[in-house]
Amino acid sequence: MTKQLVEAIADLREEDALRSTKEQLDSGANPLAILEDCREAMVVVGKRFETGQAFIPDLIFAGEIMREISDLVKPRLTQTTAQKRLGRVVIGTVQGDIHDIGKDIVTFMLDVNGFEVKDLGVDVPAGKFVDAVKEFQPQVVGLSGFLTLAFDSMKETVQAIQAAGLRDRVKIMIGGGQVGEEIRVYAGADGFGKDAIVGVSLAKKWVGAN
Ligand code: B12
C-alpha cells in the first residue's frame, strides 16, 4: 500500500492523488494495487463520516476522486488481459442502494477478463434482475450493495430469481462493503467476493474457465 496515495485521497487532495497515481503508473506499479489503495482510503473517509469528521459532500468528492483514478488505471489493466468471451454476467447494485464505484470496478474487470457483462445500474429492483436473466441468459448474476439494507434486497433478488424458476440456470455472487459469508448465507447466494479479483475468479470457475 502507498501511504501517500491513501492519505491524499482520504484528505480529499484531488491533485496530489491524481499526481501520485500517474507517477506510480509511470514507474510500473501494479494497477490493481492502486485500486486497493483507493478502497483503503474510502474506508478512512467512511470512518470520518461515521465520527462526524466528514460529511456527505466529502463522500461525493471522495467518490469522484476514486472514479478519476479508476479512469487512469483502467487502460493499464486492459493491456494485460484476455479478449475471449468466456460467458455472460448480469450485474447491478440492488434496490435501495446507489453505491456503484465498486460495482463498476467489478464490471470492468469481468469485461477485460473476457466476460460479456450487462450492467443494470443502481437501485435495481428484483424484477429487473429477473427480466435481465430471461433476456440476456447469463451464467452468472452479480449483486452489489454497500448499505446494510442492501442485504435484504439481495435476499429478495435471489428469491425472485428462484420464484421465476431461473435459480438453477445461474450462479449468484454478491459483494460490496461488509458482505461476507454470513450475508452470503442470509441472501442465499452461491458466493461472495471481497474484491473484483475474487469476483472474476468465481465467474471463471462457474463457467468452467479456471
Ligand atoms: C463514496 C460513498 C458514497 C457515495 C457513493 C458514490 C457512488 N457513485 O458510488 C455517495 C455520496 C453517493 C454515498 C451516499 C450514501 N452513503 Co455512502 N459511502 C461511500 C464510501 C465513502 C465509499 C464507498 C466506495 O465506493 N468504496 C470503494 C469501493 C471500490 O469499494 P466497494 O464498493 O466495497 O467495492 C469493492 C468490493 O466490495 C467488491 N465488490 C463490490 N461490489 C461487488 C459485487 C460483486 C458481485 C462482487 C463479487 C464484488 C463486489 O469489489 C469492489 C472492488 O474491489 C463508503 C465508506 C466505506 N467504508 O467505504 C460510504 C458508506 C457506504 N455510505 C454510507 C451511507 C450511510 C450513505 C448514505 C445513506 C448517506 C446519507 N445519509 O445519505 C447514502 C446512501 C445513498 C443510497 N441510497 O445508496 C455508509 C453505509 C452504512 C451502512 N452499513 O449502511 C458508509 C459505510 C459510510 C459510513 N461508514 O457510514 N456514499
Side-chain angles (χ1 to χ4, degrees):
M1 183 202 308
T2 319
K3 207 161 169 271
Q4 198 190 5
L5 178 58
V6 176
E7 280 175 3
I9 303 170
D11 295 343
L12 307 177
R13 285 182 280 114
E14 184 183 22
E15 275 182 28
D16 289 348
L18 295 178
R19 192 183 322 110
S20 169
T21 303
K22 283 178 195 153
E23 280 169 8
Q24 287 190 62
L25 287 171
D26 288 344
S27 61
N30 179 354
L32 293 176
I34 295 176
L35 289 181
E36 190 46 41
D37 281 352
C38 292
R39 199 151 70 99
E40 186 64 32
M42 290 304 206
V43 173
V44 177
V45 177
K47 288 206 177 112
R48 287 182 186 165
F49 175 70
E50 262 174 49
T51 53
Q53 296 165 275
F55 304 93
I56 297 287
D58 301 317
L59 294 190
I60 295 173
F61 192 31
E64 277 170 19
I65 298 174
M66 167 96 208
R67 211 176 278 285
E68 285 178 280
I69 293 177
S70 302
D71 288 345
L72 290 174
V73 168
K74 280 173 181 177
R76 308 290 177 124
L77 287 166
T78 321
Q79 287 163 10
T80 57
T81 45
Q83 292 305 318
K84 220 171 81 194
R85 291 290 146 197
L86 299 176
R88 287 181 299 280
V89 182
V90 162
I91 195 166
T93 300
V94 294
Q95 189 158 33
D97 199 324
I98 61 162
H99 292 87
D100 64 358
I101 298 169
K103 186 254 307 159
D104 287 352
I105 294 174
V106 178
T107 302
F108 175 77
M109 288 299 289
L110 286 165
D111 182 67
V112 298
N113 277 282
F115 286 90
E116 225 179 303
V117 190
K118 188 169 186 67
D119 183 354
L120 302 178
V122 298
D123 191 16
V124 182
K128 209 170 158 190
F129 277 101
V130 171
D131 291 344
V133 171
K134 285 182 190 156
E135 284 159 27
F136 193 59
Q137 309 256 316
Q139 292 88 351
V140 180
V141 174
L143 307 178
S144 183
F146 220 124
L147 298 177
T148 310
L149 64 80
F151 306 152
D152 284 326
S153 298
M154 287 173 176
K155 184 177 185 157
E156 282 158 25
T157 305
V158 175
Q159 284 172 344
I161 291 172
Q162 173 115 35
L166 302 166
R167 188 66 182 89
D168 294 343
R169 292 201 214 156
V170 290
K171 289 283 191 185
I172 302 177
M173 60 182 179
I174 60 173
Q178 303 308 309
V179 165
E181 176 59 15
E182 207 178 312
I183 307 303
R184 182 199 69 75
V185 173
Y186 176 74
D190 300 301
F192 72 93
K194 68 171 178 47
D195 58 33
I197 307 293
V198 178
V200 171
S201 300
L202 281 174
K204 278 189 172 172
K205 185 174 85 181
W206 289 334
V207 299
N210 259 353

